[in-house]
Amino acid sequence: MLRGQMARYRVTQDERALTLARKCFQDLNHIFDLSRTIEPGLLGKPHGGRASPTTSFDQAAIPVLPYAQFALTYAKPEEKEQARRNLHDHGDYFIRRNWMVNHHGKLARIVPAGHTSAMKYFASVHAAYDVTGEERYRDEAVKCVRQLIDKGMIPWPSKVNAPDVGNLHYYSYLGEYWSKTTLAKGADWIGDIGLNWKIAQTALTDEGLVVDGRYDIKTGQFIPDAKNPTGYQGRTGGSILVALLGLLARSHGFDDNANQIARKILLRVDPSCFRQCFDDGHLPENEKDFANLFPAELPAMWLCAYWLGREQKAW
């Protein structure tokens, strides 16, 4: 939501967009405050609105990178000080614990880096450098990302199958970020965005929705999942992430027509799709209740793609 509202403000200069972006920024400050009751610098998942020690790859760089971007671009002096304090503590949290995190409820040390997704945590620490200027955060993050590069885990963790569309987008988003750091020459960050976009399209149906499956790197073919091709819990979000990836690829000159695919996706993902589980008429009985749950991240992602497209004058 924060990323999308910052884009909306850049396009429209509408103060309402900046107000919403500021609310998102303050919401994240609140989560830092909640988490501080457990340990300074923790940014835990607020289960039920309460402090939690659990973290994950996916909830690391997003939202921390947009949070840092807001602090550097739009924050008032007192807000920037909030962000400086929070990200100072956040960087210290990882370094102090030697990268031992409560990952999905299990303690795990994520260094030496063993999976491409670890750079989602590393980017959070590098963002602490962006806001505080303390080079130790940059140096620690860069060291860890170089481990991934040296192990051949950029752009992907597997040499057999490409990542799912969610990670194709996430890795591309981070690739653009790393391309603006001292790691710029460490990998073909921008070139990989084009590659990821090419592969993500293979998961789309003609109507503009993704299906579950795997992309075989050797054959260059996408193979739908025979048991669950619809991807009930991830279909709507995955489809919007493909739209976001397409717009990112277009912004770097890889596909002038990517906006047409993104547009098709956004038009297909109407409000009836904003459910925890996508029901194509064959949703398993034990998941029926999830079809009536409204996940706020889906319209937020949709709006983000819409405004990033507007910023490109794609529609």
Side-chain angles (χ1 to χ4, degrees):
M1 187 69 173
L2 177 53
R3 183 183 173 199
Q5 291 307 303
M6 286 190 290
R8 177 188 171 198
Y9 182 72
R10 291 193 298 270
V11 170
T12 66
Q13 293 298 296
D14 187 336
E15 288 296 325
R16 292 174 298 179
L18 193 56
T19 297
L20 279 174
R22 177 161 282 110
K23 183 182 185 304
C24 295
F25 174 81
Q26 293 295 356
D27 288 343
L28 287 166
N29 285 329
H30 177 61
I31 298 174
F32 272 116
D33 289 343
L34 280 177
S35 301
R36 189 172 281 110
T37 64
I38 298 175
E39 185 172 352
L42 169 68
L43 186 63
K45 296 186 177 189
H47 298 296
R50 297 183 295 273
S52 162
T54 61
T55 62
S56 73
F57 288 141
D58 289 348
Q59 281 77 46
I62 301 174
V64 172
L65 292 188
Y67 176 82
Q69 182 186 358
F70 182 92
L72 293 169
T73 310
Y74 302 113
K76 300 173 184 178
E78 62 274 19
E79 292 170 334
K80 189 168 184 178
E81 176 56 27
Q82 279 181 300
R84 188 207 62 77
R85 178 196 176 198
N86 286 332
L87 291 179
H88 175 279
D89 290 349
H90 195 51
D92 278 355
Y93 170 81
F94 289 103
I95 294 173
R96 178 176 66 248
R97 297 170 62 94
N98 191 20
W99 297 100
M100 176 71 77
V101 298
N102 187 327
H103 186 71
H104 290 291
K106 296 181 179 179
L107 289 178
R109 178 168 285 113
I110 58 172
V111 295
H115 194 284
T116 310
S117 283
M119 68 176 175
K120 299 172 186 176
Y121 282 125
F122 304 153
S124 298
V125 173
H126 197 282
Y129 160 72
D130 295 337
V131 172
T132 68
E134 295 195 26
E135 295 179 357
R136 60 197 177 97
Y137 301 135
R138 177 200 63 195
D139 295 346
E140 182 68 20
V142 166
K143 178 186 73 175
C144 292
V145 175
R146 288 199 186 281
Q147 292 175 355
L148 290 173
I149 295 170
D150 292 344
K151 290 180 178 180
M153 291 186 177
I154 302 297
W156 307 324
S158 171
K159 305 300 181 186
V160 179
N161 299 314
D164 59 31
V165 294
N167 276 319
L168 289 173
H169 165 264
Y170 213 140
Y171 297 160
S172 297
Y173 176 72
L174 291 179
E176 183 181 57
Y177 175 73
W178 296 125
S179 76
K180 300 173 183 177
T181 71
T182 56
L183 284 163
K185 296 182 180 179
D188 188 10
W189 303 111
I190 301 302
D192 290 338
I193 294 173
L195 175 63
N196 290 341
W197 167 236
K198 179 180 177 181
I199 290 173
Q201 294 174 75
T202 65
L204 286 172
T205 64
D206 290 341
E207 62 176 326
L209 293 173
V210 299
V211 293
D212 265 7
R214 63 183 181 87
Y215 181 89
D216 187 297
I217 296 172
K218 183 177 181 179
T219 65
Q221 299 293 317
F222 180 81
I223 305 167
D225 187 324
K227 294 183 179 179
N228 182 22
T230 302
Y232 298 113
Q233 290 206 37
R235 191 172 205 190
T236 299
S239 301
I240 300 171
L241 289 172
V242 174
L244 281 163
L245 175 52
L247 293 168
L248 180 60
R250 184 176 186 266
S251 73
H252 288 283
F254 288 109
D255 185 350
D256 290 340
N257 296 315
N259 60 307
Q260 297 300 327
I261 298 174
R263 183 178 187 274
K264 184 176 185 179
I265 292 169
L266 296 185
L267 288 174
R268 175 60 184 84
V269 178
D270 58 33
S272 70
C273 297
F274 294 150
R275 301 290 186 272
Q276 184 66 37
C277 277
F278 186 97
D279 190 356
D280 61 350
H282 303 286
L283 187 65
E285 195 62 36
N286 65 338
E287 296 186 13
K288 290 285 187 183
D289 288 345
F290 293 104
N292 200 39
L293 286 179
F294 175 76
E297 67 268 22
L298 295 181
M301 291 160 60
W302 193 101
L303 287 167
C304 184
Y306 172 79
W307 286 111
L308 288 172
R310 282 284 303 275
E311 188 171 27
Q312 291 184 21
K313 296 181 171 58
W315 40 70

